[in-house]
Amino acid sequence: MPFPTVFANVPWRHHVEIINKCKSVEEALFYLCHSIEEGWSRSNLINCINANLYKNQGFAITNFAEQLPHPHAEMVQEITKENYDFSFVSLPRKYDELQLEDALSQYITRFLLELGNGFSFVGRQREIIVDGVSRRIDMLFYHLKLHCYVVVELKTCKFAPEFAGKLNFYVNAVDDLLKTDVDNPTIGLLICSDMKQTEVKYSFMGINTPIGVAKYSNVQVEELQAQLPTIEQLQQRIKMLEQELLQ
């Protein structure tokens, strides 16, 4: 049997990682194809395998099948994940949504990789004005393959039913204020720390915009020691104060 030519498009060390860590041929081919299509480096590949992208991709809880036409609904579903791995950011133990958003914006290249191929960052705290009132979307993206805006709202707490209503409002606003005739319907994605499936499904009832809910995990907690000055920094500061007193 001839050696498949597609294998030559992936570096040898990629093959080693895939062979050592994948549990099935289907999983191995999944990472092989994505490495080629998205140009993953070896570290990107390892991050995606550790985040179990093969199992998580396409499993956010959504209403896409009901609110989008076939086969567009299936394509949109595939860009979602059940869980997003935020291990690339470090935050204080009691962080809030703004701090999480700041960290994701700081590492936007890594966040785009975690979201998946095709996402383009439009901006954070994107202002929209409705009836003279200024409101701000946490993070706004545009998906180049699906040709649609993607509203991303972040919550550092467990999902609550009222979150779906706010996301629905933002999706409708973007559809009305930003979407053009060449764009597909805007989709909304809420990423929170935890959720109950039944609560999410009930919250979707009566909503006609395409929205989904997923979780995030693995935010690194900053050690207190890392937030304090080092001994060398303190010694340097003491010397500077001594010099100032002698002048």
Side-chain angles (χ1 to χ4, degrees), residues 88-105:
F88 54 93
V89 298
S90 297
L91 292 167
R93 189 170 300 279
K94 293 183 179 180
Y95 62 89
D96 58 25
E97 289 161 14
L98 185 58
Q99 288 173 303
L100 176 59
E101 183 186 322
D102 284 341
L104 294 175
S105 299

Side-chain angles (χ1 to χ4, degrees), residues 2-3 9 15 23 39 41 44 58 69-70 87 92-93 97 101 106 115 125 127 144 147 154 164 179 188 210 216 237:
F3 189 79
N9 295 325
H15 287 293
K23 298 178 176 62
S41 66
N44 293 155
H70 175 83
S87 59
R93 189 170 300 279
E97 289 161 14
E101 183 186 322
Q106 182 179 356
L115 287 173
Q125 290 298 303
E127 183 183 34
L144 301 175
H147 302 289
L154 300 168
K179 176 181 171 293
Y216 73 87
R237 181 58 180 161

Side-chain angles (χ1 to χ4, degrees), residues 164-182:
K166 185 178 181 182
L167 184 61
N168 174 61
F169 173 86
Y170 284 143
V171 170
N172 278 317
V174 170
D175 265 346
D176 185 49
L177 301 174
L178 300 180
K179 176 181 171 293
T180 67
D181 293 339
V182 298

Side-chain angles (χ1 to χ4, degrees), residues 146-157:
L146 297 175
H147 302 289
C148 67
Y149 285 100
V150 182
V151 172
V152 174
E153 284 291 293
L154 300 168
K155 295 293 180 183
T156 57
C157 58

Side-chain angles (χ1 to χ4, degrees), residues 58-80 146 148 184-185 187 209-212:
F59 286 99
I61 303 176
T62 75
N63 63 359
F64 298 158
E66 294 76 27
Q67 303 304 330
L68 294 172
H70 175 83
H72 186 62
E74 287 78 7
M75 295 170 62
V76 176
Q77 184 69 44
E78 287 177 2
I79 72 167
T80 68
L146 297 175
C148 67
N184 284 315
I187 64 174
T209 57
I211 60 175

Side-chain angles (χ1 to χ4, degrees), residues 107-117 119-121 141:
Y107 295 97
I108 190 62
T109 300
R110 182 63 184 85
F111 186 32
L112 286 170
L113 176 65
E114 181 61 22
L115 287 173
N117 191 36
F119 280 87
S120 176
F121 185 45
F141 297 85

